[in-house]
Amino acid sequence: MAGIRSLIATQWSSDIRLEGKTAIVTGANSGIGKETAKDLAMRGARVVLACRDLEKAEQAVADIMREVEGASVVAKKLDLADTKSICEFAENIYNTETFLHFLINNAGVAVCAYSTTSDEFETQFGVNYLGHFFLTFLLLDLLKHSAPSRVINLSSIAHLIGKINFEDVNSEKTYHATRAYAQSKLANILFTRELARRVKGLGITVCAVDPGKVSTEIIRHLRWSLQFFLRTFSFFLKTPAEGAYTSLYCVVTPDLQSGGYYRNCAPATGSRAACDDRTASKLWALSCHLLGISWR
């Protein structure tokens, strides 16, 4: 059994400490985000759990504090489907935190029925990508102030089938849940590349991460039969703790390539579309237009 598990999940560990560092993990009330926050707390970092459901986030804080002696963790409300909530969260961070060394854009929704955010963006594109794009924009000054700092964007192997549909980026003409999810995860890699280019020389390292196939609640929007299948054979999926390894690798490993894509705690090669800098630049301009911001 141990041999089979070793084929499913790369084993990784590091004894690097993070005392004096501050991290934000979005979507940290469960799954990969919660395990990421727990590990950072074990290393001595102050961790902000940024979550839509504050009650679940407070329970996650209680769980981590019970399991990690002396943990410095706090829950704050953040709804990535609402730009007003993102602004309020960022304002709260500037009012309460002196530094921000790690911004881990982990939250996500997958393969859900068509819906829109408060700002009329298709939900998967709006939450997985645009919400994190806007959050990073608002927190950039604090990241620069705290340099060296890092931004880690979670993507997925699903980006391999992704395409940025500039003619219908919000899926208003036609909607396919899997294609919309893949588009959002491809967008996160393109955002990583373009952000890395724009902050070069400012002491901010930017990485995109594929956590692998992980057994988490993100499958809740799949068909019941597929959920049943995945839960039945969850042994062959990574645990949330194993799914957090590559994010943590990108937090503690020195001299990472900014703009890089990482899988199984190592550099990886994304799809051809994920390496297209012209598309990355075009997506950046479109994102600023949709959000009504100027980010030079």
Side-chain angles (χ1 to χ4, degrees), residues 45-289:
R46 171 173 170 77
V47 188
V48 176
L49 281 64
C51 306
R52 178 177 60 85
D53 189 323
L54 197 54
E55 183 177 346
K56 290 183 179 179
E58 294 285 7
Q59 182 58 56
V61 166
D63 292 343
I64 293 172
M65 293 185 71
R66 184 176 61 252
E67 297 170 19
V68 181
E69 184 177 356
S72 176
V73 289
V74 61
K76 293 184 184 290
K77 171 82 172 180
L78 171 64
D79 185 353
L80 288 160
D82 184 349
T83 52
K84 181 180 178 181
S85 175
I86 299 172
C87 289
E88 291 172 348
F89 173 82
E91 182 178 11
N92 182 280
I93 291 298
Y94 278 104
N95 288 336
T96 59
E97 307 298 329
T98 306
F99 298 100
L100 175 58
H101 301 95
F102 308 107
L103 174 58
I104 303 176
N105 290 321
N106 165 86
V109 60
V111 197
C112 58
Y114 181 80
S115 61
T116 58
T117 68
S118 299
D119 304 280
E120 301 301 322
F121 304 128
E122 185 276 314
T123 296
Q124 295 185 87
F125 186 72
V127 171
N128 298 350
Y129 167 63
L130 274 182
H132 286 124
F133 182 98
F134 189 43
L135 177 65
T136 307
F137 164 74
L138 294 176
L139 295 177
L140 191 66
D141 283 344
L142 191 55
L143 287 161
K144 289 191 291 186
H145 168 71
S146 308
S149 56
R150 296 189 177 186
V151 177
I152 297 166
N153 298 316
L154 263 70
S155 182
S156 165
I157 195 170
H159 89 274
L160 293 172
I161 61 170
K163 176 184 177 182
I164 307 300
N165 186 356
F166 287 104
E167 302 304 315
D168 188 27
V169 74
N170 275 314
S171 304
E172 294 168 323
K173 299 176 183 177
T174 180
Y175 180 71
H176 187 284
T178 300
R179 285 199 292 266
Y181 177 71
Q183 175 182 246
S184 72
K185 292 302 182 177
L186 172 60
N188 277 346
I189 299 179
L190 294 171
F191 169 46
T192 297
R193 292 178 67 89
E194 185 67 9
L195 179 60
R197 184 182 71 82
R198 289 172 179 261
V199 300
K200 185 176 182 180
L202 298 179
I204 303 173
T205 299
V206 192
C207 303
V209 165
D210 170 15
K213 300 178 182 65
V214 186
S215 178
T216 73
E217 288 304 308
I218 199 169
I219 68 171
R220 65 189 180 276
H221 295 294
L222 299 178
R223 295 194 309 273
W224 178 87
S225 57
L226 186 53
Q227 288 190 49
F228 177 79
F229 176 82
L230 291 173
R231 295 185 196 284
T232 301
F233 294 97
S234 61
F235 175 82
F236 297 99
L237 302 175
K238 292 181 179 181
T239 66
E242 291 167 338
Y245 284 169
T246 304
S247 293
L248 294 164
Y249 170 87
C250 288
V251 166
V252 303
T253 301
D255 303 323
L256 287 181
Q257 176 191 355
S258 190
Y261 173 63
Y262 293 82
R263 181 194 304 131
N264 293 327
C265 303
T269 302
S271 67
R272 180 178 297 180
C275 300
D276 187 338
D277 289 332
R278 291 183 64 183
T279 301
S281 179
K282 185 177 179 180
L283 177 63
W284 182 283
L286 174 63
S287 303
C288 290
H289 172 73

